Amino acid sequence: MLRKLVVLVHILFLGIAACLHADEVLLEQFYGNGVHAYNQGDFFGAYDAFNSAIKGGTNDPRAYYFRGLTYLKLGRDPEAKSDFQAGAELEAGDSANVYPVDRSLERVQGKSRQILEQYRNMVHAAAVQRKRSEERRVGKE
């Protein structure tokens, strides 16, 4: 009986892992489709693809960055800034060093890139400050 239960639990975990992997692949496809659309100047198509990835639960900061860049192209600056902030927080948090953000943004230049970099730098500086404060607090205990 115990053996059957162990096998059943193992199968359940494998099924969950397969579903999670499938979801990640789908979210990556949305992101990739969005980048292609963005680079081709199809900003409505790019928005739809990035929005699908984000609503699907991606933790990829690049999806937020590119949706923000898309918002800028569509004249929706407040939404762009919100996405830049969200992407920067993901990049500074658990998603740090997981996604090739710098490489993905190489083609993005000009004023849009400068605005995006302001958010990345601001959030990174705040994360470093929080870490230092935490280290000092722990060191005093």
Side-chain angles (χ1 to χ4, degrees):
M1 177 69 174
L2 180 61
R3 185 179 188 117
K4 287 181 182 180
L5 182 60
V6 169
V7 169
L8 180 62
V9 169
H10 184 71
I11 290 171
L12 179 64
F13 281 124
L14 287 176
I16 291 171
C19 288
L20 291 176
H21 179 70
D23 287 346
E24 289 175 25
V25 169
L26 182 61
L27 296 176
E28 287 175 18
Q29 287 177 342
F30 286 139
Y31 164 75
N33 291 340
V35 171
H36 289 297
Y38 179 86
N39 288 331
Q40 292 175 353
D42 177 10
F43 302 118
F44 292 107
Y47 169 80
D48 288 340
F50 296 130
N51 206 41
S52 293
I54 291 167
K55 285 188 174 189
T58 188
N59 289 323
D60 188 342
R62 300 172 303 169
Y64 287 89
Y65 289 154
F66 273 98
R67 187 175 73 173
L69 291 165
T70 302
Y71 276 137
L72 286 180
K73 295 288 188 181
L74 296 173
R76 297 172 61 181
D77 292 11
E79 291 100 330
K81 292 173 181 176
S82 177
D83 272 1
F84 292 158
Q85 180 75 30
E89 288 172 4
L90 279 173
E91 185 181 4
D94 294 338
S95 296
N97 303 318
V98 175
Y99 300 98
V101 174
D102 288 328
R103 183 157 188 228
S104 299
L105 293 172
E106 284 176 347
R107 291 180 66 177
V108 179
Q109 300 296 319
K111 186 168 177 68
S112 298
R113 178 67 182 262
Q114 290 173 341
I115 295 168
L116 170 56
E117 289 302 321
Q118 288 174 349
Y119 281 87
R120 290 180 75 199
N121 291 333
M122 179 180 60
V123 170
H124 177 72
V128 168
Q129 186 65 20
R130 278 192 306 273
K131 183 178 178 183
R132 287 183 183 157
S133 295
E134 181 65 22
E135 288 171 351
R136 278 189 239 123
R137 187 186 63 76
V138 170
K140 290 180 181 180
E141 291 178 359

